[in-house]
Amino acid sequence: MLEVVMALALVTMLVVMIGAILARRRGMGGGGANLEQGSLYITGVSPLPEMTGEHFVTITGTLTGPSVTGKVVYRRFVWDAAQWPSIGDQLVVAYPPNNPDKWVAQHPGLR
């Protein structure tokens, strides 16, 4: 019985290690150490909701950074309606250099 438990534990650890290696290769791991900082010029945004509180917003814009020049990207977030973004705003963003489509914004309205 103990052999079965030990074998199961070893297989589980092996699967977790392989998953971590694959995630790092795809740019999803690494704890943010390899992220680049850039800016996003907002060219499109969902309409401001009439109610206050948190709502979904879709943002479209042009991402510019050290390894990216003028890439059009979009993303959906939960955002505070009191600090709703608008066309023409500039956001500070971070993104993996090998996949700028996985950008994340830094803004007080972002939830």
Side-chain angles (χ1 to χ4, degrees):
M1 182 68 178
L2 183 59
E3 294 87 11
V4 173
V5 172
M6 291 301 289
L8 187 61
L10 287 173
V11 168
T12 303
M13 288 179 5
L14 181 64
V15 168
V16 169
M17 261 190 346
I18 290 172
I21 290 169
L22 291 176
R24 185 169 181 90
R25 283 189 181 173
R26 284 186 269 173
M28 297 185 310
N34 59 348
L35 295 180
E36 291 184 349
Q37 238 186 353
S39 64
L40 179 77
Y41 179 77
I42 297 178
T43 58
V45 65
S46 303
L48 175 64
E50 293 181 17
M51 298 174 18
T52 60
E54 296 176 351
H55 299 276
F56 284 107
V57 62
T58 301
I59 297 174
T60 305
T62 305
L63 180 70
T64 306
S67 64
V68 177
T69 315
K71 174 152 177 64
V72 176
V73 294
Y74 70 95
R75 196 123 208 224
R76 188 174 188 201
F77 297 100
V78 174
W79 210 277
D80 183 4
Q83 299 180 350
W84 204 253
S86 59
I87 294 175
D89 287 352
Q90 195 99 4
L91 298 179
V92 175
V93 296
Y95 61 93
N98 60 343
N99 193 355
D101 289 319
K102 293 190 180 271
W103 60 277
V104 292
Q106 299 170 2
H107 189 276
L110 183 61
R111 298 289 180 242

